[in-house]
Amino acid sequence: MKDALIAHRGAPLLAPENTLPAIRAAAAQGARWVEVDVKLTRDRKPVIIHDDQVDRTTNGHGFVANMMLEYIRSLDAGSSFSPEFADTRVPTLEELVETVLELGINLQLELKPTPGDDIETAEIALAAIKDFWPANRDGLFFTSFSIRSIHAAARLMPNVPRAFAVVVPPKDPKALMAETKCQILHLQRALLSDDALKILADSGIEFAVATINEADKAQHFFAGGAQSILSDVPDLFLRKAL
């Protein structure tokens, strides 16, 4: 990573998370990288949504994996955030990539399988990426909490960097990187103690911390060895110089 901040699900404090307005808002706030989540529908189409179910972020109910693309695309993914975003749709992966390329920014694509379709999520999403992402363009990497998705990504697009995401910091970060075939480790801030930070820093691996919305907390993790953070605030570094 050459940039210290990745805009988490776009700009979810300004627009509905994981939607095209959120991506555009992040870019307008100066983000050079955005992170989004990809899942499969019942008819095996990759869409940009975080949860296994649509209930939290749309006016629908039920599991993404049990819905056809046409139905998910009929849902309102914006009104619950603000009337201003009424009729915002859950994006397809193709729409998301087109928007990222149009804006000239970079993409962290999190493979977010519904438990049980880990390999298929990676296979279908990466097949789509091969179709949509220019072969000679950098600015792309994959991440997942699923070891099976990550291993599939390593097999299918070995030249694209990968990040493995964990909640509990590993005791042996280098061994975990070797096992997962990843170049970057993503960690959740909640369990990241100073002792764990030291282990990570001493290991020499590249790691990022999520989700950091305060400049002083970002500085703490950078001082502890992190190279980047995920944030809901794309202009975090502009608001308070580090």
Side-chain angles (χ1 to χ4, degrees):
M1 283 293 299
K2 297 179 181 179
D3 293 84
L5 187 144
I6 305 167
H8 180 240
R9 306 179 197 172
L13 303 182
L14 301 176
E17 67 175 55
N18 274 327
T19 66
L20 300 185
I23 302 306
R24 295 186 183 282
Q29 292 285 309
R32 301 303 307 150
W33 282 86
V34 292
E35 179 267 352
V36 298
D37 307 279
V38 64
K39 298 183 73 67
L40 297 183
T41 63
R42 183 178 177 181
D43 47 347
R44 320 320 279 163
K45 304 297 184 183
V47 293
I48 306 303
I49 190 169
H50 176 274
D51 297 358
D52 289 340
Q53 296 178 264
V54 300
D55 301 51
R56 180 177 64 86
T57 56
T58 78
N59 63 338
H61 303 284
F63 283 88
V64 175
N66 199 36
M67 296 176 178
M68 303 295 279
L69 175 63
E70 183 179 5
Y71 176 72
I72 288 182
R73 294 282 286 168
S74 74
L75 299 178
D76 184 337
S79 291
S80 62
F81 182 89
S82 167
E84 172 188 356
F85 295 100
D87 296 325
T88 297
R89 303 300 166 188
V90 173
T92 63
L93 179 56
E94 180 177 6
E95 289 175 327
L96 184 281
V97 170
E98 288 176 348
T99 300
V100 165
L101 296 176
E102 171 196 330
L103 295 169
I105 57 178
N106 305 306
L107 176 63
Q108 173 190 320
L109 184 66
E110 179 167 349
L111 305 171
K112 201 78 174 179
T114 303
D117 68 0
D118 305 62
I119 294 175
E120 193 168 9
T121 296
E123 290 179 339
I124 292 174
L126 268 64
I129 285 288
K130 285 182 178 180
D131 287 340
F132 308 144
W133 194 268
N136 60 349
R137 191 185 192 278
D138 294 327
L140 171 69
F141 77 93
F142 305 124
T143 184
S144 187
F145 285 89
S146 166
I147 185 66
R148 300 181 76 201
S149 291
I150 282 292
H151 280 170
R155 168 172 54 85
L156 295 165
M157 296 184 72
N159 294 327
V160 176
R162 297 169 300 281
F164 190 59
V166 298
V167 175
V168 178
K171 297 295 184 184
D172 189 340
K174 292 182 72 173
L176 181 61
M177 291 294 90
E179 177 187 349
T180 58
K181 303 178 183 178
C182 287
Q183 295 77 40
I184 310 169
L185 184 65
H186 279 196
L187 302 112
Q188 301 297 305
R189 65 184 290 179
L191 298 180
L192 194 51
S193 66
D194 288 344
D195 288 343
L197 266 180
K198 186 175 188 312
I199 291 172
L200 289 160
D202 289 347
S203 75
I205 70 164
E206 181 173 345
F207 67 97
V209 184
T211 303
I212 310 300
N213 295 335
E214 311 88 10
D216 58 339
K217 290 295 184 182
Q219 180 59 62
H220 169 75
F221 288 115
F222 288 140
Q227 286 78 31
S228 55
I229 62 165
L230 285 82
S231 181
D232 297 327
V233 185
D235 63 344
L236 180 66
F237 298 159
L238 300 177
R239 295 185 178 195
K240 181 178 179 180
L242 295 181

